[in-house]
Amino acid sequence: MTDCSRRCCRWENRGLVPYLEAWAYQRSLVEARLEAPALEDVLVLVEHPPVYTLGTGASLEFLKFDPAQSDFEVHRIDRGGEVTYHCPGQIVGYPILNLHYYQKDLHWYLRQLEEVILRTLAGYGLRGERVEGLTGVWVEGYKVAAIGIKVKRWITLHGFALNVCPDLSGFSCIVPCGIVDKPVGSLAQFLPNIELKSVRRDLARSFAEVFQIELVLAENG
């Protein structure tokens, strides 16, 4: 259960943000909370210009191009997981949570993030599914949400990416998440008129329900 003194979480909608800028912002939020653990939790929702990211131990064999000889933006970062792709039309969520006030259990945290996606999809009449042994959410065999996290002294960074209505062609240049036999999809495949704004709002609502908190929209959100 969430600590009663930690019921509020700041919710920021920051729009289209370059990847390195968002990564630096996350790190600044984490460092501030390492120095002052009583600071409120934060949920940051963004989109990114096209970019490929690889987790700490991700294999370059899952790139179908040579990063040294291409114009693609590629970054190796400090999350778990393999290579993934971000682009406009995909909602990326960065929860900065102090798990001391929730559960100090990474498997629990990953399952909670999946539950946020599952509840959001259910609100649109879509049946999301987990796949045993893998992390993420699928609809009718298509992976629509990827999750990759890092925890520093039990404060979280990185998070989830939900494909709402992106151009999926960028995924053709990689083996997404290192999974060779499961295609990537988007919500727009099943709901052509789906809107980012409504999904962003519903994701935040589901996040609040799952983590049993109250989200307070930041002034810049």
Side-chain angles (χ1 to χ4, degrees):
M1 295 291 291
T2 307
D3 184 281
C4 289
S5 66
R6 305 276 305 179
R7 289 288 182 185
C8 290
C9 175
R10 189 169 83 235
W11 168 24
E12 299 183 4
N13 290 320
R14 299 185 70 88
L16 188 67
V17 180
Y19 187 83
L20 291 181
E21 180 181 324
W23 187 21
Y25 182 57
Q26 290 181 74
R27 296 199 303 272
S28 72
L29 292 173
V30 170
E31 290 304 317
R33 281 146 184 81
L34 290 173
E35 294 181 9
L39 285 173
E40 81 277 28
D41 295 329
V42 185
L43 172 64
V44 182
L45 298 181
V46 301
E47 295 173 69
H48 291 308
V51 59
Y52 294 96
T53 70
L54 297 98
T56 305
S59 174
L60 290 174
E61 71 182 41
F62 295 127
L63 293 178
K64 298 180 182 179
F65 59 90
D66 181 351
Q69 311 246 338
S70 81
D71 294 328
F72 295 133
E73 185 177 350
V74 182
H75 303 292
R76 185 176 291 276
I77 57 172
D78 57 348
R79 62 162 171 79
E82 292 289 344
V83 61
T84 195
Y85 176 64
H86 300 302
C87 65
Q90 178 194 73
I91 299 175
V92 183
Y94 296 128
I96 311 299
L97 305 183
N98 188 334
L99 293 184
H100 284 97
Y101 298 99
Y102 298 85
Q103 289 191 39
K104 292 190 291 184
D105 183 329
L106 298 188
H107 292 289
W108 173 86
Y109 180 56
L110 289 169
R111 301 294 81 77
Q112 297 301 99
L113 292 180
E114 290 172 345
E115 182 64 22
V116 170
I117 304 297
L118 292 168
R119 291 192 188 193
T120 302
L121 299 186
Y124 291 90
L126 295 175
R127 184 172 179 269
E129 297 179 325
R130 294 180 170 98
V131 173
E132 186 174 356
L134 300 175
T135 299
V137 174
W138 284 257
V139 175
E140 295 186 13
Y142 290 88
K143 188 172 187 179
V144 298
I147 297 172
I149 64 167
K150 177 181 172 63
V151 174
K152 187 171 184 179
R153 283 160 45 190
W154 294 109
I155 297 177
T156 67
L157 65 161
H158 300 295
F160 60 83
L162 175 61
N163 296 332
V164 180
C165 51
D167 177 354
L168 295 175
S169 61
F171 284 99
S172 66
C173 297
I174 61 173
V175 179
C177 302
I179 303 172
V180 298
D181 59 346
K182 295 187 183 301
V184 172
S186 71
L187 305 192
Q189 287 177 237
F190 308 98
L191 300 169
N193 296 319
I194 198 163
E195 296 182 349
L196 274 169
K197 183 177 180 180
S198 64
V199 177
R200 191 181 301 116
R201 178 198 63 220
D202 294 333
L203 263 173
R205 181 184 298 122
S206 296
F207 188 89
E209 290 175 356
V210 169
F211 286 95
Q212 300 177 40
I213 55 175
E214 177 186 354
L215 286 177
V216 178
L217 185 62
E219 289 185 7
N220 66 348

